[in-house]
Amino acid sequence: MNVLIVEDYQELANEIVDFLSKNGYLCKWVSSQEEALEEISVNEYDVMLLDLGLPDGDGFDILKSIRKKKLKTAVIVITARGELNDKIDGLQLGADDYLTKPFALTELGARLFAVIRRTHGISTNEIEIHNFKIQLQDYRVTFEEEIINLTKKEFDIFQYLVLNKNRVITRLQLTEHIWGDILELNSDSNFIDVHVRNLRKKLEKFAKIDWFETVRNVGYRINM
């Protein structure tokens, strides 16, 4: 998942980036309201970790902007402001969770994963699709209990398409969510198609995958 971290305290931001990166998340860090608003205007993020006390404004203004634009980005507020009124304000403005500093990184990871599951309508840590099972936290795909040896990128692509089932995902969207903040001109490269082709070959060794659709000149779709 693609995470935008909005935090002006560099040491904490570095700790979060390091922890989440080791747990399979793709992270981008900004330290101001201006940078955050610019990022969400040009890139899609699955989750934003949002500090409120920014040097050039209040993080609540960013939250208001996200909800006004009806972006699908989930927001977890991370802040030293632990007063009940602040928590109520954050949740009423559309925050998906509210975490008061200081916090353990393991708690942040658990809350982040819980928010992602909720936003995608998942009640367990495992997704099943046509007898294939994706174990989200273990980064494992199996078919009838047999492990399929996928690379990290192949797993990320499969997981992202399944989480967005029945929806066409463009090559540019895959580029941004799997590889990060890459210029649009790179979306015409065939490196995405190569990874998808390799993924398909590995899945086809176990079963027919006519539900894994290529939408010509656009991208891909997993049909449930």
Side-chain angles (χ1 to χ4, degrees), residues 24 139 151-161 178:
Y139 301 98
T151 67
K152 178 66 166 57
K153 295 302 183 190
E154 290 163 359
F155 177 88
D156 289 343
I157 290 170
F158 192 35
Q159 174 186 247
Y160 187 63
L161 290 173
I178 307 302

Side-chain angles (χ1 to χ4, degrees), residues 13 37 90 92 101-102 125 140 168 171 183 193:
L37 291 173
Q92 288 182 337
K101 299 175 182 176
N125 294 334
R140 182 188 302 172
V168 177
R171 289 174 174 83
L183 293 177
D193 297 323

Side-chain angles (χ1 to χ4, degrees), residues 146-197:
E146 186 172 351
I147 296 174
I148 303 173
N149 186 24
L150 300 183
T151 67
K152 178 66 166 57
K153 295 302 183 190
E154 290 163 359
F155 177 88
D156 289 343
I157 290 170
F158 192 35
Q159 174 186 247
Y160 187 63
L161 290 173
V162 171
L163 288 174
N164 291 279
K165 60 185 181 296
N166 301 321
R167 173 187 169 198
V168 177
I169 300 298
T170 68
R171 289 174 174 83
L172 178 57
Q173 285 175 310
L174 277 176
T175 300
E176 291 177 338
H177 283 268
I178 307 302
W179 279 268
D181 189 8
I182 299 178
L183 293 177
E184 185 171 350
L185 58 89
N186 286 334
S187 66
D188 292 330
S189 171
N190 72 341
F191 68 88
I192 296 174
D193 297 323
V194 170
H195 283 286
V196 171
R197 185 163 58 247

Side-chain angles (χ1 to χ4, degrees), residues 49-65:
L49 302 181
L50 176 62
D51 185 22
L52 298 181
L54 300 171
D56 58 344
D58 194 311
F60 278 152
D61 292 332
I62 300 172
L63 179 56
K64 291 175 184 177
S65 179

